[in-house]
Amino acid sequence: MRRFPLAIRLLLLNQLGVNTGFYLLIPYLAVHLGEDLGMSAAVVGIVLGVRNLSQQGLFLIGGSAADRLGARGVIIAGCALRTVGFGLFALGDGLAVLLAASVLSGLAGALFNPAVRAYLAQEAGDRKAEAFALFNVFATTGALVGPLLGSALLLVDFRASALTAAALFALLTVAQALVLPARTVATATSSVLGDWREVLGNRAFAAFALAMVGMFTLQNQLYLLLPDGARRATGWDGAAGLVFLVGTVANLSLQLRITRALKRRGDRARWICVGLALMGLAFVPPMAVAGPVAPPGGPGAAALHALPVLAGALLLYLGVMIAQPFVMELIPAFGRAELTGTYFGLFYVVSGIAAAVGNTVIGWAMDAGEHTRTPWLPWACALVFGLVSAAGVAWLHRMRALPVRITEELATATTATRVTKAATEGKA
């Protein structure tokens, strides 16, 4: 971290706080609405759906705002809005207040998610992949710490969790306002709609975003298919937590090493393909124990049945660690630097739709597999998602549809390294 500018260091800590605060509250929101407030399942679905729609549907607006108003201000505004939104979850019990809280918290994510990535890409220079690798480490850590802290605060009540999350976002808002440097924003030469048309008309980018459907769909299986597989294989509800523990430990210890090693070996597109393929293959080991819920057994039997699922989780995390930093690095290279936020915004709109469709397909396969006694079906669907995405990126690379700027920078860096090494050997 110390090798990066102060702005990047703050954004890394910001992402740790953002994910901690988010996962401290959101996983327990449905239980609070249904059990504490006595709302019907339909109303709970509306509240949760409004929050998700407010975020996923407005990413493009958040990205454009970052480009035109400056990423710093948009990041601060996003964190401030989430402070208010989570505070309303703590203070309001009425449907109108809860819907307002959902809209504000969703809009907050739509603002700061693309803005943070745009700011990070602009500040990191030629070290984008390493910056996004560290970003992934802090995000994953927050996603583990948040639910643990949330479960402890729920021993008091839900309001304690919501107020703690709101306080955390308030602290992040103040820190960003005081520390995050402001940057000059280039004067826009076209309208917002013109920017959107330019980005949407970039066929190579659109094809790449669609090809990445597998990555987002399979990442979401960390919250759907893999925890369900772990519970079924062991007959123990707590086994789902082991999936996240394995991934977080692997991420903390390996992410930056993997990115640095691969950055020096071959072009980015190849490693994105490898990562996507590995993410798909991660769902092969759990097929060995897929089936009805295992009857309660001793710790030894439970551990033995858990191994294939945990091996799959580890492979999935490794695939994400290989592909994701290079995906984030590649996105800004598709277009003008002035539209970096817009490109990230559109990319996350596509990812949100992809995750929703992918989860629907996997969920259908889980139900169909149970009814037709083919428990391997959802795991096979996940495998297909990964391999198809890997093939899509490989085809784009073969057709030279991906940006060459990154590849040229890589070639230049590799040549410089070889020249330096040769000169050193000559002196020796």
Side-chain angles (χ1 to χ4, degrees):
M1 280 183 66
R2 289 195 298 268
R3 297 179 183 178
F4 283 103
L6 177 62
I8 291 182
R9 281 181 271 167
L10 177 61
L11 291 178
L12 295 175
L13 292 174
N14 175 75
Q15 192 60 25
L16 173 66
V18 164
N19 272 21
T20 299
F22 181 84
Y23 287 102
L24 184 158
L25 176 73
I26 295 301
Y28 308 105
L29 180 57
V31 175
H32 168 66
L33 297 176
E35 296 185 3
D36 298 342
L37 302 184
M39 293 183 172
S40 66
V43 175
V44 172
I46 290 172
V47 173
L48 297 180
V50 165
R51 192 212 66 80
N52 191 59
L53 182 62
S54 300
Q55 178 164 321
Q56 302 293 347
L58 298 177
F59 271 133
L60 191 55
I61 293 176
S64 291
D67 290 334
R68 290 177 170 265
L69 305 177
R72 176 182 180 273
V74 177
I75 293 169
I76 294 170
C79 278
L81 280 177
R82 187 154 281 181
T83 302
V84 176
F86 281 9
L88 287 177
F89 277 128
L91 302 176
D93 294 341
L95 180 59
V97 175
L98 292 171
L99 287 175
S102 294
V103 170
L104 288 175
S105 59
L107 176 59
L111 288 176
F112 65 65
N113 276 350
V116 165
R117 286 156 179 81
Y119 199 114
L120 199 68
Q122 292 162 358
E123 292 288 319
D126 61 353
R127 298 185 64 200
K128 290 183 181 65
E130 291 176 57
F132 281 112
L134 270 176
F135 192 80
N136 191 23
V137 169
F138 280 83
T140 303
T141 305
L144 177 68
V145 172
L148 296 176
L149 181 58
S151 62
L153 289 169
L154 281 178
L155 297 176
V156 181
D157 60 14
F158 177 82
R159 284 181 172 79
S161 296
L163 289 173
T164 301
L168 182 55
F169 277 99
L171 181 62
L172 291 174
T173 304
V174 173
Q176 290 158 359
L178 294 176
V179 180
L180 201 61
R183 294 290 182 260
T184 303
V185 181
T187 303
T189 58
S190 62
S191 65
V192 172
L193 291 178
D195 291 345
W196 291 359
R197 281 195 296 268
E198 180 179 337
V199 175
L200 289 168
N202 189 328
R203 294 181 180 180
F205 175 70
F208 179 72
L210 289 174
M212 297 309 300
V213 164
M215 186 174 83
F216 294 105
T217 297
L218 298 189
Q219 275 186 286
N220 271 265
Q221 301 322 306
L222 289 168
Y223 309 101
L224 178 63
L225 186 55
L226 281 167
D228 182 73
R231 286 189 292 266
R232 287 176 175 273
T234 62
W236 174 45
D237 288 341
L242 297 177
V243 171
F244 300 104
L245 182 61
V246 165
T248 304
V249 171
N251 192 276
L252 286 171
S253 57
L254 298 175
Q255 174 68 87
L256 198 56
R257 296 178 182 179
I258 289 174
T259 302
R260 282 177 171 170
L262 299 183
K263 188 178 176 181
R264 298 189 294 266
R265 296 175 173 84
D267 58 54
R268 273 56 165 170
R270 185 177 78 176
W271 294 122
I272 293 172
C273 293
V274 170
L276 290 170
L278 188 59
M279 289 176 70
L281 293 171
F283 293 87
V284 173
M287 287 188 196
V289 290
V293 178
L304 188 62
H305 282 90
L307 283 178
V309 180
L310 297 181
L314 179 59
L315 289 175
L316 180 59
Y317 272 99
L318 286 173
V320 173
M321 284 189 275
I322 291 170
Q324 193 175 62
F326 297 129
V327 171
M328 296 294 105
E329 181 188 38
L330 198 60
I331 290 170
F334 276 97
R336 294 185 287 125
E338 295 82 3
L339 294 181
T340 297
T342 306
Y343 274 97
F344 274 113
L346 181 60
F347 188 77
Y348 277 96
V349 168
V350 174
S351 73
I353 296 171
V357 173
N359 271 352
T360 301
V361 172
I362 298 294
W364 169 84
M366 292 171 70
D367 290 338
E370 190 166 348
H371 293 150
T372 61
R373 296 183 181 180
T374 53
W376 50 266
L377 184 60
W379 306 96
C381 285
L383 170 62
V384 171
F385 268 115
L387 296 182
V388 168
S389 280
V393 175
W395 180 78
L396 289 173
H397 181 51
R398 184 178 180 183
M399 298 297 293
R400 300 186 182 277
L402 300 180
V404 298
R405 189 163 60 201
I406 298 294
T407 305
E408 288 171 353
E409 290 174 0
L410 175 65
T412 302
T414 304
T415 302
T417 302
R418 289 174 179 170
V419 169
T420 304
K421 183 178 179 181
T424 304
E425 291 174 350
K427 289 179 180 179

